[in-house]
Amino acid sequence: MVQFTHIWANTTSLGYLLKPIVSKMDSQHFWDHMDCLSEESIEKIEADLIESIWKNYDIRTDTLLFDTTNFFTYIDSTNERCTIAQRGKNKQKRTDLRQIGYALVVTREDHIPLFQHTYVGNQPDCITFQKVIEKIKKRLTLLNLDFSRHTLIFDKGMPTKKNFAMIDDLKCSYVTSIKLAGHKDLIESFKENAEEISVNEEKVLAFRSKKKICNKERVALIYLSETLREGVMRGIRESITKRIKLLDEIQRKLVSSKRKINQEKKK
């Protein structure tokens, strides 16, 4: 850990400012000083950094990407001081460990972070969206950016009736995805009306329509992704292969057990 901290520090301004002592830095320095800055101070520093970037660089913000993730930790289960680390659905499949959730908004072209939010590890994405959407608007307002002139892109884990209502109230343009299980009419319309279009020099089948979704008429775009279909089919084939191997193993054990029973009977 000492070597890792030293290498990391050299990639930041610390390597220049603290050159004589940076080689002696270790993780304990971080733990000793982690309470020196309050959460409010960290948010202020973050806002000041982003504001400075906006003043000095020409960054396009017309399209913003919003997503969430989580990180598992080794915080002990008996540690009651840390309430943010909780067990939940972990992206690294480490459900045995307490985790922390993390939400991030970045610009599409340069991936410049506009907003970040850390939250409890057992909180669903849809709830996180409700808690941060107004904060995202506030951050844009502080940068003198018109929230209504930006398009926010987020995935299908976040759209709910309440979240759509919040987006409509905030007059936010957005692109998201929904689960088609509850919109079979769109699937049927796609089968009948899909046309081939060109996207990034690639031909895809797509269909554009309007449909009442979550109490409001919205534009729906349905397209067939060959890449996604191939990935799904590959996953299905891998799952079938695993099941066949498992059945073969069960069959082998049954045959072996039957032989042992017959041998015992002969005795």
Side-chain angles (χ1 to χ4, degrees):
M1 181 62 76
V2 173
Q3 184 180 11
F4 174 79
T5 306
H6 176 205
I7 294 173
W8 168 82
N10 275 325
T11 64
T12 70
S13 58
L14 293 175
Y16 172 77
L17 297 172
L18 304 175
K19 191 173 182 179
I21 61 174
V22 73
S23 61
K24 299 178 181 180
M25 290 181 63
D26 60 23
S27 58
Q28 191 60 47
H29 287 86
F30 171 77
W31 303 117
D32 290 343
H33 296 87
M34 65 183 300
D35 293 326
C36 291
L37 293 175
S38 65
E39 290 186 24
E40 293 76 15
S41 297
I42 294 174
E43 289 182 6
K44 183 64 168 59
I45 292 171
E46 177 188 332
D48 289 346
L49 285 171
I50 294 174
E51 185 177 0
S52 178
I53 292 172
W54 247 247
K55 287 180 179 179
N56 292 282
Y57 299 94
D58 182 22
I59 298 174
R60 293 182 59 184
T61 62
D62 56 324
T63 304
L64 304 175
L65 312 178
F66 173 76
D67 201 5
T68 60
T69 188
N70 50 49
F71 302 93
F72 65 81
T73 72
Y74 292 101
I75 297 175
D76 195 274
S77 299
T78 59
N79 185 334
E80 297 179 355
R81 292 175 299 167
C82 180
T83 57
I84 193 172
Q86 300 290 337
R87 285 184 173 81
K89 187 177 180 181
N90 183 258
K91 295 183 184 296
Q92 291 83 33
K93 311 300 182 184
R94 292 303 304 266
T95 53
D96 58 314
L97 298 173
R98 296 169 70 181
Q99 65 185 28
I100 294 172
Y102 184 68
L104 185 67
V105 175
V106 301
T107 58
R108 178 180 63 173
E109 288 192 355
D110 304 295
H111 298 168
I112 302 298
L114 264 180
F115 174 85
Q116 65 85 28
H117 176 68
T118 306
Y119 57 94
V120 291
N122 59 353
Q123 182 171 279
D125 288 348
C126 59
I127 301 300
T128 301
F129 188 87
Q130 294 171 16
K131 291 179 178 293
V132 303
I133 185 64
E134 291 191 7
K135 292 182 179 180
I136 294 171
K137 180 180 180 179
K138 182 179 178 181
R139 174 60 54 79
L140 292 179
T141 302
L142 290 174
L143 294 171
N144 295 318
L145 300 174
D146 187 352
F147 188 59
S148 63
R149 297 175 65 87
H150 291 72
T151 299
L152 190 65
I153 299 177
F154 50 94
D155 65 23
K156 63 183 178 183
M158 300 170 203
T160 63
K161 287 184 178 181
K162 185 174 182 179
N163 289 354
F164 270 128
M166 293 181 69
I167 292 171
D168 295 337
D169 290 341
L170 293 172
K171 295 179 172 57
C172 169
S173 298
Y174 61 90
V175 175
T176 187
S177 58
I178 59 175
K179 298 177 181 179
L180 287 176
H183 304 279
K184 294 183 179 180
D185 56 324
L186 289 176
I187 299 176
E188 295 302 321
S189 297
F190 173 82
K191 293 177 181 178
E192 298 174 2
N193 304 293
E195 297 180 354
E196 191 176 70
I197 63 174
S198 179
V199 179
N200 294 330
E201 300 181 353
E202 182 180 345
K203 298 293 184 181
V204 298
L205 286 175
F207 168 66
R208 180 188 177 99
S209 179
K210 288 187 177 181
K211 186 180 188 307
K212 190 172 183 179
I213 302 173
C214 293
N215 303 322
K216 183 179 179 180
E217 187 178 65
R218 307 178 193 275
V219 176
L221 178 65
I222 304 93
Y223 75 97
L224 178 63
S225 171
E226 290 296 340
T227 302
L228 179 59
R229 182 164 69 172
E230 289 175 4
V232 171
M233 292 304 298
R234 183 166 57 253
I236 292 174
R237 287 192 293 268
E238 289 176 355
S239 180
I240 291 174
T241 301
K242 289 180 181 179
R243 296 298 185 276
I244 291 175
K245 288 182 178 179
L246 180 60
L247 290 172
D248 288 342
E249 181 64 19
I250 293 174
Q251 185 180 32
R252 186 188 65 77
K253 289 181 179 180
L254 288 173
V255 171
S256 178
S257 297
K258 187 176 181 180
R259 286 175 181 171
K260 288 181 180 179
I261 293 173
N262 290 336
Q263 288 175 356
E264 291 294 328
K265 287 181 178 179
K266 289 179 181 180
K267 291 180 180 179

